[in-house]
Amino acid sequence: MAEAVPSAYGPAEALEQTLGDPLVDSNPLSFRSTVEHDEREERPDLTALDAAGLGRHYVPAALDGALASHEALFWLLRSVGRRDVTAATSHAVSLPAAVLAWHAGTPAQQARVAEILLGGGQLSIAFHEQEHGNDFMATEVAAEPTATGFSLRGEKWVVANARRSALLVVLARTAAEGGARGFSLVLVDKARIDPSGMEFLERFKTLGVRGQDIDGVRFSDLALPPDALLGAPGSGFELSLKCSQVSRTLSLGPLVGALDTALRSSVAFLDARRLYGEPALAIPAVRAAVVDAFLDILLVECATLACTRAIHAAPDRLVTWAPAGKAFVTETAESALHDLSVLLGARFYLRDAWWQGIFQKIVRDAPLTRVSHFGGVVSLAHLGAALPALYERTAAAADAAGASLAPVFDLGRPLDPADGTRLRLVPHGADPLLLALRTAHERLESGALASETEPVILLGIRSEVARLRTESDALRAFLETLRAPHGPGHGRAPEMLTAARRHAALFAGTAALLFWLESRGGLDDFGKAGAWLHLALRRVRQRLQPALEVRPVEEDTSVSARVMDLFHRDRWFSLLAPPLAARGSRR
Amino acid sequence: MNAAERLELALGDPSSGGVIAFARMLELDELEAYPEAECRALDALGLNAHYVPQALGGRLTAFPELLALVRVVARRDLTVAIAHAKSFLAAAPVWIAGSDAQRRQLASLLLAGDQAALCLTERDHGSDLQDLDTTATSVGGSYVLSGEKWLINNATRGRALVVLARTASAAGPRSASLFLVDTQAPSGGAIEPTAKLKTAGIRGADISGARFRGAVVPVDARIGPEGHGLEIVLKGLFVTRSLIGALSLGAADTGLRVVLEFARSRRIRGQPVTQLPHARAILAEAFADLLACEVLAQTAARALHVVPEQASVLSAVAKLIVPTSVDASLRRLAVVLGARHYLREGAQGVFQKLARDAALVALFDGSTVVNLSLLALQLPRLAAPRSVDAAVAARGPALFDGAQDLPAFDASRLALVSRGRDDVLEALPLAIRALPAGSALRPRVDSIATALTADALALATVAPESPELFALAERHACFVAAAACVHSWLANRGAGDAFLADEAWVVAAVSGLLTRAGIPTPVPPACRETLALRLESLADAHRSFSLFPIPLAARG
Ligand SMILES: Cc1cc2nc3c(=O)[nH]c(=O)nc-3n(C[C@H](O)[C@H](O)[C@H](O)COP(=O)(O)OP(=O)(O)OC[C@H]3O[C@@H](n4cnc5c(N)ncnc54)[C@H](O)[C@@H]3O)c2cc1C
Ligand SMILES: Cc1cc2nc3c(=O)[nH]c(=O)nc-3n(C[C@H](O)[C@H](O)[C@H](O)COP(=O)(O)OP(=O)(O)OC[C@H]3O[C@@H](n4cnc5c(N)ncnc54)[C@H](O)[C@@H]3O)c2cc1C
């Protein structure tokens, strides 16, 4: 079997070796230590991550960092996340602010931010307010111009690391009347202010990520220098919206990593458990649930990789891909965790038994990715509002209009440097991904595919692709009905959110299809064979259109054999299946 | 005033204080401390007497009343409700199959405020009770108990342990017997509690275990004949699984109330979140799902009196639908709460606790999967078409009309399988005939009837134990629940209230169940609005979220 380890995995593979097996208690970020830190509400011990230079991967190479490929960064965060979501998010909490600085900072601001990160320091973003949540237009914190710069006043609520960070990026009102250009981003560099103008509120107690510092911060006429402004005056929303496309994508890595541990710990339990005189895995319903969880991970991986590679290869598409990816990944992850909790039975409910109680911690940590940073309903609502026009333009476009998506979906292709100037605020033209779904049946007729793929599997893929295409036509028709009679408020109809969720599922399914079409050559035998794709597409389609159907036994069996194979060989539950730190390996 | 209404008022308002205050319960949860004072207060109010049949000196006469009482406690806190009501779960097999002496013995313990624990699970054996490691060896006129029970509610605090142990050498359906063990009897020294386990929810509860080191118990500690332990346990579980929805319903009430209050006070772009259409839809549909769960729990509780022969079906349906439906509602409601569902403090801090706590209900007393598999086993006979017989029609009012008196519970009529009988679905054709012209229920009920026919055919093609069979069983359960809602609406719509007369709630409830069954069925916007308005008016009137709302203890 060809072992195709992606080159982007390199740094993560090294990190895996450095950290060792998380089931070995004495290793850094072992399950034991992360659960104990969680119990004591203590920040996880990040020294091993700092020693491994994780922070360098947040800083572009041009600024002396190691960030060249966001795909490599995704794998790094996935690797930390499989050990501890809290550790990953506590460390990567700097990323949204960093992305803003790389995007809009002056050379001096960028140099300062790089200096902080390379020196092991951290950054925060302070956007939200207690009374206004995602209603940014109501932001009350104000930065008023003064003779010497700005004076910052007001309070920000639930800000990760506010106390600990060296620098905060704050969303503040800069025009009294507000409005789309009434808000700006300002940098609060703690080394350059009089600390008496800033105080921190008591640390918040949270359901998950209990070890992460989440504070509030109050500014009382805090004096800021004139160069505290990030980007042009009044560009606060625009910058936040653009950069969140990148940072939202990066926020998925830890969660995707945690799913691996959730499935691995469940499989380990079921592999050893005997029930009714047989191994629990011999129960067909148990095996089917394991297969489904694995398919969910593959879909989530494909959706995340598509967005991640698009940071380089199709940044102009992220405006709709990032929210679709985030919605699909967070919702699928949470439902997969729920399904796995059923498999794990009582052990999911215990905080100190079975894999040191890591599962219940993952369940509590997971929702953070959804609620924080442009999460949840608001992101879906934005996406939903953009969809009617996007579907219409896509329907009107010629089949050939879609630019080739090979740079995104051919995993063997090196990525061009990321280009933030190509990020968009509103989607333009047709969506090449939807176009690719529309024309995929032609590619699936190719002779090369037919000669290399089992006829049953290819037939299955073709039929699911045809059905997904029908679903996308149905969605277009549905979006049209939403457009017409409801008037200006239509964008907020609950049906709009449903439409956005449906689109997100189509996005993930199509991403999986395109990875297979573009990267098959580089996949191992299992990846090439395509049974996984057939079942994954089927799973997406059933989510859109539930139906009682008999599972395809042979393909099911090949996928469950793959799960056990990856489990026994210490490989990621992943399409690419790179190696994990070996079981029992000590640092 | 009925018993539940009296208990509700006696316990006071949990958001501002009272006997079981939210703030205090959050504190105890953080400390992982047992709610000592709260449980004792419930004893003082006589709740423990409701776990004991009237004939034995207690106050238990009708299961719906017990359901309502536990719900009153559960809306305040699940740690307390579970810790306290666990004694009933342990006692049920004794009430059903115990000797007179055993029944009197346990009754006097419970009435004196002692607790009981049900010891089935072992570290290596959960759902599979046919293959236990704990043994009871008959020696002379006694049994010697050896082994360890693990993950047991009240194992440390419970004075009475109801223990399932192996009495035959080979595993199998007749391999185990059930024992009533008083840990304070002379042999008690050979029984040791094991360490408290740390749990994700109900952190303050006594979840521990019991180690038996050759504990000698008299022969008359055995409940029922030797080898009948599993059967007795199962019958006890039919009773408790029919009632356990009370825990979920209580959690759903508070979860919905907390989120509604937040959404009404929170303003986004000048209007309250309750006016955001998606949030309003989530609230309204969560309310409809709660009402569906209430109807199903009520029906299962009433059925214990009316058709105990069918308890194997309705208890499984209730146990597999109610807790999972409430969990799903809470997950959707969390979205409306936004960042606040993630905080362990503040006015909404109680939400994360009740969501963690409620997740246990699906798991214990037979998990969702176990109940699905029990239903799946009976599915071939249940799915066979049947014409409505007169007895089914005659029992309808007693099953579905809340105002009808119930016959006394007769445990001897409990049966391990229902032989294909299920009044709720069998009576569906009667309900269809009674639907008013133009009712939005009609197309929905028709799609149930169509699906039942199709599923009966599909059933012949699926393999035993297959995931497809489980999917059919889940659908079947949804149809039973939906049918119960329809019957309940018809039977109670004249009970006075305009909301009960309106079909909005039942259309929404049935739509939710059909969607869960894999038949996507939207809730009509007008029904949503009726539900949302009712929800708001119940909150304003400070009443429980229920078809038959009770006044809640006044604030402050
Ligand atoms: C907080 C808490 C309190 C508890 N209190 C008590 C108590 O007081 N007394 C007591 O006796 N127990 C108690 N339990 C134990 C609880 O009832 C068990 O968790 C339950 O029996 C399930 O067992 P298990 O989790 O060990 O998994 P197992 O039953 O071993 O199941 C393993 C896997 O097999 C699957 N499976 C099991 N049966 C089937 C089937 N028929 N078909 C298909 N799949 C199946 C399960 O879904 C699971 O994936 C408690 C548990 C908890 C968490
Ligand atoms: C653990 C944690 C860490 C966090 N870290 C940070 C941080 O570092 N920096 C920071 O700035 N913030 C941070 N946050 C804040 C968080 O991102 C916001 O609080 C959250 O995104 C939403 O705000 P809210 O919960 O106040 O809800 P709101 O936005 O007020 O929403 C309330 C309700 O209104 C609905 N709603 C709101 N707007 C719309 C809309 N436009 N359309 C439709 N429905 C709408 C929502 O769905 C919800 O139901 C953190 C939060 C948590 C829980």
Side-chain angles (χ1 to χ4, degrees):
Chain A
M1 188 194 289
E3 299 281 19
V5 173
S7 60
Y9 186 62
E13 185 166 18
L15 185 65
E16 280 287 325
Q17 299 314 318
T18 305
L19 297 176
D21 179 1
L23 272 169
V24 173
D25 292 349
S26 58
N27 280 341
L29 301 179
S30 68
F31 295 141
R32 162 93 56 214
S33 78
T34 65
V35 168
E36 281 174 3
H37 279 89
D38 182 69
E39 290 285 322
R40 295 195 300 263
E41 305 193 51
E42 277 171 19
R43 182 172 152 93
D45 182 357
L46 304 180
T47 46
L49 300 181
D50 287 332
L54 179 59
R56 295 184 55 240
H57 291 271
Y58 303 165
V59 181
L63 291 163
D64 294 334
L67 174 59
S69 150
H70 288 79
E71 191 181 354
L73 181 52
F74 159 70
W75 277 107
L76 281 165
L77 295 175
R78 186 176 185 177
S79 174
V80 181
R82 87 170 180 101
R83 293 169 166 81
D84 184 15
V85 174
T86 310
T89 55
S90 294
H91 202 275
V93 68
S94 298
L95 276 168
V99 170
L100 284 162
W102 312 150
H103 186 82
T106 61
Q109 288 170 332
Q110 294 190 345
R112 171 65 183 139
V113 167
E115 178 193 24
I116 292 171
L117 290 174
L118 295 173
Q122 295 200 293
L123 317 169
S124 292
I125 50 162
F127 285 12
H128 297 93
E129 298 180 5
Q130 179 162 15
E131 289 312 315
H132 307 298
N134 282 308
D135 189 1
F136 287 150
M137 290 282 184
T139 295
E140 287 181 44
V141 167
E144 278 175 25
T146 60
T148 56
F150 298 92
S151 169
L152 190 63
R153 185 175 339 113
E155 188 175 305
K156 293 287 182 182
W157 192 67
V158 284
V159 175
N161 264 356
R163 200 183 301 263
R164 180 181 298 272
S165 287
L167 181 150
L168 282 72
V169 179
V170 181
L171 178 69
R173 183 179 288 257
T174 41
E177 69 282 6
R181 301 207 63 85
F183 301 86
S184 310
L185 297 177
V186 293
L187 304 181
V188 175
D189 184 342
K190 288 184 187 168
R192 296 179 61 199
I193 55 157
D194 170 2
S196 67
M198 172 154 135
E199 70 186 299
F200 300 101
L201 315 181
E202 210 177 320
R203 190 173 183 272
F204 286 93
K205 291 183 175 176
T206 49
L207 168 64
V209 296
R210 290 162 53 116
Q212 181 158 342
D213 290 340
I214 308 214
D215 320 296
V217 53
R218 187 181 300 128
F219 307 105
S220 327
D221 297 317
L222 175 69
L224 296 177
D227 61 358
L229 199 64
L230 181 69
S235 67
F237 284 150
E238 181 181 337
L239 289 178
S240 315
L241 285 173
K242 280 187 177 168
C243 290
S244 79
Q245 296 168 24
V246 174
S247 42
R248 242 182 299 185
T249 298
L250 292 173
S251 76
L252 303 177
L255 181 60
V256 179
L259 284 180
D260 189 280
T261 297
L263 178 56
R264 204 167 292 275
S265 59
S266 304
V267 168
F269 168 64
L270 297 165
D271 193 40
R273 187 77 162 174
R274 288 190 70 79
L275 263 174
Y276 317 114
E278 285 180 310
L281 275 171
I283 301 176
V286 169
R287 224 173 30 233
V290 166
V291 166
D292 285 345
F294 177 66
L295 294 172
D296 282 345
I297 292 182
L298 296 186
L299 284 164
V300 153
E301 176 180 52
C302 289
T304 308
L305 275 175
C307 294
T308 307
R309 290 182 58 93
I311 295 172
H312 299 261
D316 56 325
R317 288 293 144 202
L318 275 177
V319 57
T320 57
W321 288 17
K326 175 151 180 172
F328 181 83
V329 171
T330 53
E331 292 184 5
T332 304
E334 287 182 53
S335 74
L337 285 173
H338 179 262
D339 295 348
L340 286 171
S341 76
V342 174
L343 283 184
L344 202 49
R347 280 155 184 79
F348 122 76
Y349 211 70
L350 298 178
R351 284 173 21 246
D352 58 359
W354 198 251
W355 283 42
Q356 280 77 25
I358 191 71
F359 194 98
Q360 55 81 31
K361 180 174 183 305
I362 294 173
V363 170
R364 284 184 290 106
D365 286 355
L368 172 76
T369 313
R370 179 170 42 79
V371 295
S372 69
H373 206 59
F374 288 91
V377 174
V378 180
S379 153
L380 267 182
H382 280 167
L383 175 63
L387 286 181
L390 185 70
Y391 271 71
E392 200 176 275
R393 287 196 303 269
T394 306
D399 281 354
S404 164
L405 285 176
V408 177
F409 291 99
D410 179 353
L411 290 162
R413 253 194 224 212
L415 292 167
D416 291 336
D419 178 3
T421 63
R422 288 174 55 206
L423 293 169
R424 296 230 170 199
L425 263 187
V426 284
H428 65 106
D431 183 355
L433 189 116
L434 289 173
L435 277 178
L437 174 62
R438 194 165 91 195
T439 54
H441 60 282
E442 290 163 18
R443 299 184 68 181
L444 290 168
E445 296 299 335
S446 99
L449 267 187
S451 65
E452 289 170 23
T453 315
E454 288 272 347
V456 194
I457 294 176
L458 192 55
L459 208 64
I461 293 173
R462 280 188 196 138
S463 124
E464 290 302 343
V465 166
R467 295 165 88 166
L468 285 188
R469 197 182 145 176
T470 311
E471 283 299 321
S472 100
D473 291 342
L475 183 54
R476 181 166 71 92
F478 180 65
L479 287 166
E480 240 160 59
T481 66
L482 287 188
R483 253 189 148 176
H486 294 258
H490 76 272
R492 298 224 217 129
E495 288 76 12
M496 211 48 148
L497 298 180
T498 313
R501 287 203 172 88
R502 297 174 75 81
H503 171 74
L506 286 171
F507 169 79
T510 308
L513 169 69
L514 293 175
F515 275 119
W516 188 69
L517 286 173
E518 301 289 353
S519 304
R520 266 174 64 256
L523 299 178
D524 65 11
D525 294 346
F526 173 84
K528 274 199 191 82
W532 69 270
L533 179 64
H534 174 211
L535 295 186
L537 294 176
R538 180 177 178 275
R539 189 152 171 80
V540 168
R541 192 252 313 155
Q542 283 185 333
R543 174 194 287 231
L544 294 165
Q545 193 189 85
L548 271 181
E549 304 163 75
V550 176
R551 302 175 72 99
V553 178
E554 271 183 37
E555 290 162 78
D556 231 25
T557 309
S558 82
V559 175
S560 72
R562 169 71 162 192
V563 175
M564 296 318 292
D565 174 59
L566 296 178
F567 173 70
H568 289 301
R569 288 196 302 129
D570 297 338
R571 302 238 151 197
W572 279 96
F573 291 127
S574 153
L575 187 53
L576 305 162
L580 300 165
R583 214 168 296 198
S585 61
R586 279 164 204 282
R587 194 168 92 114
Chain B
M1 224 195 284
N2 65 34
E5 288 171 326
R6 279 195 304 275
L7 183 64
E8 168 61 39
L9 298 186
L11 290 176
D13 172 44
S15 58
S16 55
V19 175
I20 307 175
F22 292 150
R24 176 69 183 150
M25 298 321 299
L26 275 176
E27 233 172 80
L28 291 179
D29 189 61
E30 294 285 324
L31 297 170
E32 307 191 52
Y34 190 84
E36 200 76 60
E38 288 74 11
C39 287
R40 240 182 280 127
L42 291 177
D43 288 341
L45 289 166
L47 183 61
N48 50 336
H50 285 275
Y51 305 152
V52 180
Q54 200 172 39
L56 295 166
R59 291 196 211 149
L60 173 60
T61 52
F63 290 122
E65 183 179 75
L66 182 53
L67 182 80
L69 285 165
V70 174
R71 195 170 162 183
V72 163
V73 181
R75 89 163 181 97
R76 292 172 164 78
D77 186 63
L78 282 185
T79 310
V80 174
I82 292 171
H84 202 265
K86 188 68 206 186
S87 289
F88 174 73
L89 303 195
V94 180
W95 305 152
I96 289 169
S99 65
D100 281 346
Q102 287 167 337
R103 288 156 51 90
R104 279 197 305 273
Q105 179 195 1
L106 185 59
S108 74
L109 289 180
L110 295 189
L111 291 172
D114 281 313
Q115 289 173 297
L118 180 63
C119 305
L120 309 177
T121 303
E122 301 174 355
R123 200 177 289 268
D124 292 332
H125 306 284
S127 314
D128 182 4
L129 298 176
Q130 300 199 8
D131 183 18
L132 298 172
D133 293 330
T134 301
T135 55
T137 316
S138 169
V139 179
S142 311
Y143 283 98
V144 179
L145 290 176
S146 305
E148 185 177 330
K149 294 290 177 179
W150 178 77
L151 202 53
I152 308 297
N153 238 303
N154 286 342
T156 302
R157 313 176 64 90
R159 171 162 172 187
L161 304 183
V162 176
V163 184
L164 188 68
R166 180 102 149 232
T167 40
S169 47
R174 284 278 158 98
S175 61
S177 307
L178 197 61
F179 296 87
L180 174 59
V181 179
D182 181 350
T183 52
Q184 292 185 16
S187 70
I191 305 171
E192 295 164 4
T194 59
K196 173 175 161 62
L197 291 161
K198 293 183 173 180
T199 47
I202 61 161
R203 292 163 50 119
D206 164 21
I207 310 291
S208 50
R211 192 176 298 127
F212 301 90
R213 298 178 179 276
V216 180
V217 298
V219 166
D220 59 13
R222 196 187 65 225
I223 302 165
E226 188 169 282
H228 285 234
L230 277 172
E231 185 177 328
I232 296 167
V233 163
L234 207 51
K235 286 181 179 171
L237 289 170
F238 290 163
V239 173
T240 57
R241 285 171 188 168
S242 299
L243 301 175
I244 211 165
L247 299 169
S248 304
L249 286 169
D253 189 297
T254 299
L256 189 49
R257 205 170 293 276
V258 165
V259 176
L260 177 67
E261 256 170 46
F262 167 73
R264 293 178 98 179
S265 63
R266 177 79 161 183
R267 300 183 81 83
I268 298 277
R269 299 197 198 128
Q271 55 173 341
V273 167
T274 38
Q275 296 306 326
L276 295 178
H278 81 94
R280 199 164 182 79
I282 290 175
L283 288 163
E285 290 175 22
F287 182 37
D289 292 347
L290 188 163
L291 296 179
C293 288
E294 174 180 51
V295 166
L296 181 56
Q298 286 284 353
T299 307
R302 295 183 72 85
L304 289 173
H305 296 265
V306 180
V307 271
E309 298 82 358
Q310 297 176 12
S312 61
V313 174
L314 268 180
S315 67
V317 170
K319 179 68 181 37
L320 82 91
I321 295 280
V322 175
T324 47
S325 165
V326 168
D327 284 348
S329 284
L330 291 175
R331 282 195 294 273
R332 287 190 290 266
L333 288 168
V335 172
V336 179
L337 214 45
R340 285 163 182 78
H341 97 274
Y342 213 65
L343 298 184
R344 280 165 32 238
E345 56 190 292
Q348 293 84 24
V350 66
F351 188 90
Q352 55 80 29
K353 176 177 192 299
L354 67 87
R356 276 187 285 115
D357 293 351
L360 173 62
V361 185
L363 195 63
F364 70 7
D365 227 34
S367 66
T368 306
V369 177
V370 165
N371 282 287
L372 265 178
S373 73
L374 289 176
L375 191 61
L377 281 176
Q378 299 202 55
L379 210 50
R381 292 188 70 180
L382 288 170
R386 217 178 252 286
S387 52
V388 192
D389 73 28
V392 170
R395 284 194 294 259
L399 261 186
F400 304 112
D401 178 350
Q404 297 264 329
D405 286 334
L406 288 170
F409 171 61
D410 178 358
S412 71
R413 286 169 59 194
L414 287 172
L416 289 182
V417 291
S418 84
R419 302 173 191 286
R421 301 308 302 265
D422 164 24
D423 277 20
V424 179
L425 277 181
E426 281 177 46
L428 192 59
L430 298 177
I432 295 179
R433 256 175 269 153
L435 286 182
S439 165
L441 272 180
R442 188 170 297 279
R444 288 170 170 77
V445 177
D446 285 344
S447 66
I448 295 178
T450 313
L452 282 170
T453 312
D455 287 4
L457 293 174
L459 198 56
T461 66
V462 304
E465 292 187 30
S466 63
E468 292 84 5
L469 178 62
F470 277 55
L472 285 170
E474 163 129 19
R475 262 165 82 100
H476 189 88
C478 292
F479 297 149
V480 173
C485 289
V486 176
H487 292 305
S488 176
W489 177 63
L490 289 168
N492 296 292
R493 71 191 149 140
D497 188 318
F499 180 75
L500 283 183
D502 191 330
E503 68 176 7
W505 77 263
V506 65
V507 170
V510 170
S511 303
L513 286 160
L514 282 171
T515 300
R516 175 165 173 179
I519 305 172
T521 309
V523 176
C527 296
R528 250 189 223 150
E529 190 51 26
T530 304
L531 281 156
L533 291 172
R534 172 68 162 194
L535 188 65
E536 289 174 326
S537 77
L538 287 176
D540 288 338
H542 208 46
R543 294 186 152 243
S544 65
F545 295 145
S546 162
L547 284 174
F548 302 98
I550 63 168
L552 302 179
R555 304 214 163 169

